[in-house]
Amino acid sequence: MTDTKDDKTLTVAPKKTLTLKRPGIEQGTVRQNFSHGRTKSVVVETKKRKFSAPGEQREASPVITPAAPKPAVTVAPPPNVERTPRPSPTVRPAGGDRGGVVLNSLSRGEMDARRRALEEAKVREVEERARAVEDAKRRAEEDERRQRERLESARRQAEEEARIQAEAEASRRAEEEARRRAPEADTADEDEKPITKPRSVAAASPSAAAPGGGAGASIRRTPLKPEVAPAKPTKTKGEDDRRRGKLTLTAATSDGDGRSRSLSSMRRRQEKFKRSMQQGEREKIAREVVLPETITVQELASRMAERAVDLIKYFMKQGQMMTPGSVLDADTAELIANEFGHTVRRVSDSDIEEGLFNIRDQDDTLQSRSPVVTIMGHVDHGKTSLLDAIREASVVSGEAGGITQHIGAYQVEKNGQKITFLDTPGHEAFTAMRARGAQATDIAILVVAADDSVMPQTIESISHAKAAGVPIIVAINKVDKPAADAQKVRTQLLQHEVFVESMGGEVLDVEVSAKTGAGLDKLLEAILLQSEILDLKANPDRTAEGVVIEAQLDKGRGPVATILVQTGTLKTGDIIVAGNVYGKVRALVNDQGKMVPEAAPSMPVEVLGLSGTPSAGDRFAVVETEARAREISEYRQRVARDKAVARQSGQRGSLEQMMSQLQNSGLKEFPLVIKADVQGSAEAIVAALDKLGTDEVRARIVHVGAGAITESDVSLAETSNAVIIGFNVRANKQARTAADQAGIEVRYYNIIYNLVDDVKQAMSGLLSPERRETFLGNAEILEVFNITKTGKVAGCRVTEGKVERGAGVRLIRDNVVIHEGTLKTLKRFKDEVGEVPVGQECGMAFQNYEDIRQGDVIECFRVEMITRTL
């Protein structure tokens, strides 16, 4: 912009707009296009760098002397860069650069710091040069080593090629020798065959075609590329060249076509030639094939070292279509293996349990153990009271009704020796529990009340003890009562082949009193004496084995199993398998309720940590790993499930069969859901209820288990219309609410007598009442009258008994029952009467029946329905 004033021209620069743009930066806009059609503009900034030519003098700038300058740091240049001598700090050019330092402002300390920095830079430079020389030396050594390795590899490759060439030459000579031995006619035919030119020759020398017309003129030639140097003459590869080893770098870069046989191909050809030269087939190797219960075709072929295709072909010949994944049973697989010439060794899934039980111990590892004593006998003969007197505890007060309903396991000490006692129930419903106690014991104590003598459960206990093969000690209890007669007990035992010592036998007998404590020491001494005779031993330094005495589901502790260790030592942390459940032992509790770290042989303990509640009587064993425990448990669960399915399928049948059975038999069922505190009690309840069944009615156990009554039990009872019975257990709040809403009856019991009696009474209500017929009298038809609007009326005389109106009648003709029904009318003269006695005449008419004749006999009877009981 220019302005003229007083002949003077004044030039004014235009005003610059204020902006946030930084100096030295250029802005541009870039438009972005996206695939869906949308675009976007983006601002891009470009920063320009200022470059100055070497030797260019910058504009002088005023010298600024800082108040407190920082010491400069000198960086040493690399060793291969020529160093330019720096001007002395005493001289400063007038137009120095920005990094200039005023001499007058440097102190002595700063000068010393700069001198030290220069010295350190020189030292670093010397170290870097030494390090560079060392790296160069190491690289040279590495290159030399690699060169040696390459030469060694090339040498080995050359030796391998030479060996292969020698083998090929030997093979060729063998072929020529075999061809020379062939008939002359075959040789002549081979000589007459035209020799075909190798494809490589035709491809490498196009000039071999006819140069002129004729056939050669019709060949279409490809244009040749211009070559700088004349092409080398191609070499025709013959059969010998084709056999030369595998493809190498030299062969690949040569002018040939690079075709050659690989090393594997050469070996296969040599093996094929050797097999063809051998006479006869290769001998088949017979193998022992291990066959499980099921196996696939592919797995069977692998174990026989055969091809799966061959097995499939065999099946196709037999008319079966199989795939490699098809599953075969053990019998079919054995047939196939024998057909292919192999031997078979059958294994089953149960082999997983091998080595679990009955491991034989060495005699030198056995040590003496405590005896296990089972107290058996009739109910109310004082078994538990006798054990209480020995233990100086009170167990009977904790049992409902004063009878034992569980197997109790306790351990006492006498003269420094421990004795393990198992107390079994005496009620008849607990037969299985008594048998289980006899099998897990060493000595059986038969308790017989002196005032009650031998009873049914006493005889049963004797049978269990003899079946288990354990010695018996007879304890004649209640000798303090006035009516006690011990000699009578000994005499009655003779009838059951129990001969006590006082009667000339070998069975020990002791007279005791659980109330006064008399004879208890003699009983314990007899037990110790009998155990010394038995010489009981076990190996405590091995994995534990034993038997489950009782099992229950505790609300706070989960599944709890009372076990008896028979051999080995059970420790906390061991992995055990009991029946179809397994688990890791979390805690061991003895009979006094104390936690113990381990359980020795003949020691009863409670085990916590199992995955479920085992069945009473199951054997347990310690396994090495949890994986094996899981496999054994799954196998046992699968076996139990298969048995249950087979049992149900055998009972199920078709719908028509079920309906016909119900119509023919008229069987009625009383469904029950039973929950008990322990497995043994539930087992005893089921056994007692099974005995109540008849041909007309029986108890159907929908579900039985140990533990409290839950909502799932109520749902199951609602579905099956069953009654829930709780034995020493209660239903929780949710289960009670669900039962009230569904209208399900829940009954609680703590004595097995009452439970069995109530179920028996309820099942009796399902019995159809008995039809009882009472004879009233006979009447003979004298005349038949046909009356209008009434029909036929028989004029009769009562010849026997009496005839009542409303009773049942039968019309008998020639001693054959013609009709059975009721009377429509009974008249004497013209009046309706209730009954007609013998010797009088009356008129009778049948309901809906008129085929009556003179001389027929009418029999009158009364029917009564009587309620039946089991």
Side-chain angles (χ1 to χ4, degrees), residues 180-295:
R180 196 177 299 113
R181 293 177 181 177
E184 293 295 331
D186 296 341
T187 307
D189 293 342
E190 287 183 3
D191 294 339
E192 292 177 1
K193 290 182 181 179
I195 299 175
T196 57
K197 188 176 183 180
R199 187 178 62 176
S200 58
V201 177
S205 56
S207 60
S218 62
I219 297 176
R220 183 178 179 181
R221 302 174 182 270
T222 57
L224 298 177
K225 295 181 181 180
E227 298 179 356
V228 179
K232 297 181 180 179
T234 59
K235 180 181 178 181
T236 303
K237 277 199 172 184
E239 189 67 22
D240 295 339
D241 295 334
R242 195 178 297 277
R243 289 195 186 98
R244 294 185 184 211
K246 60 183 180 179
L247 184 64
T248 60
L249 184 62
T250 305
T253 54
S254 63
D255 292 338
D257 58 357
R259 291 183 60 195
S260 62
R261 289 187 179 274
S262 64
L263 180 61
S264 301
S265 176
M266 295 293 297
R267 289 176 178 172
R268 287 195 299 269
R269 181 171 180 178
Q270 292 174 9
E271 291 176 0
K272 184 177 180 181
F273 175 74
K274 291 177 181 179
R275 286 196 301 269
S276 63
M277 294 297 293
Q278 293 177 355
Q279 298 295 330
E281 296 183 356
R282 186 176 50 177
E283 184 179 357
K284 191 177 186 68
I285 301 175
R287 291 178 170 82
E288 184 184 24
V289 182
V290 179
L291 292 181
E293 294 181 356
T294 57
I295 189 172

Side-chain angles (χ1 to χ4, degrees), residues 355-546:
L356 191 63
F357 297 110
N358 302 325
I359 303 175
R360 186 175 181 83
D361 296 318
Q362 300 294 331
D363 295 338
D364 54 351
T365 61
L366 299 178
Q367 300 179 14
S368 298
R369 64 174 178 87
S370 305
V372 180
V373 181
T374 300
I375 300 180
M376 307 174 73
H378 192 69
V379 64
D380 289 336
H381 275 205
K383 298 181 298 300
T384 306
S385 301
L386 183 63
L387 182 58
D388 293 344
I390 296 174
R391 296 181 62 225
E392 296 179 358
S394 179
V395 178
V396 173
S397 59
E399 293 287 352
I403 63 170
T404 302
Q405 305 184 89
H406 312 94
I407 290 184
Y410 315 101
Q411 200 167 35
V412 299
E413 189 170 347
K414 173 68 175 176
N415 297 334
Q417 298 184 21
K418 292 184 177 180
I419 304 173
T420 300
F421 284 95
L422 300 181
D423 183 16
T424 62
H427 191 265
E428 61 179 353
F430 297 94
T431 301
M433 298 175 72
R434 276 194 301 279
R436 206 158 45 238
Q439 292 172 0
T441 189
D442 302 317
I443 303 171
I445 295 181
L446 184 64
V447 179
V448 186
D451 60 342
D452 202 9
S453 67
V454 178
M455 299 299 287
Q457 271 66 59
T458 309
I459 301 172
E460 187 181 322
S461 300
I462 295 173
S463 302
H464 289 320
K466 289 184 176 181
V470 296
I472 298 175
I473 298 177
V474 178
I476 304 176
N477 196 15
K478 301 184 182 181
V479 294
D480 58 317
K481 286 193 174 184
D485 189 357
Q487 192 63 30
K488 179 183 176 182
V489 173
R490 296 186 181 96
T491 305
Q492 290 184 351
L493 289 175
L494 293 176
Q495 302 175 4
H496 306 286
E497 298 181 356
V498 177
F499 306 103
V500 297
E501 285 185 339
S502 59
M503 305 290 288
E506 297 180 354
V507 177
L508 299 175
D509 65 311
V510 182
E511 295 183 7
V512 296
S513 175
K515 187 174 181 180
T516 62
L520 296 182
D521 292 338
K522 293 182 179 179
L523 179 62
L524 295 177
E525 290 175 359
I527 293 172
L528 295 177
L529 176 61
Q530 188 68 53
S531 64
E532 288 180 3
I533 296 173
L534 295 176
D535 192 20
L536 304 173
K537 291 185 178 181
N539 181 12
D541 301 327
R542 48 157 289 184
T543 57
E545 289 182 20

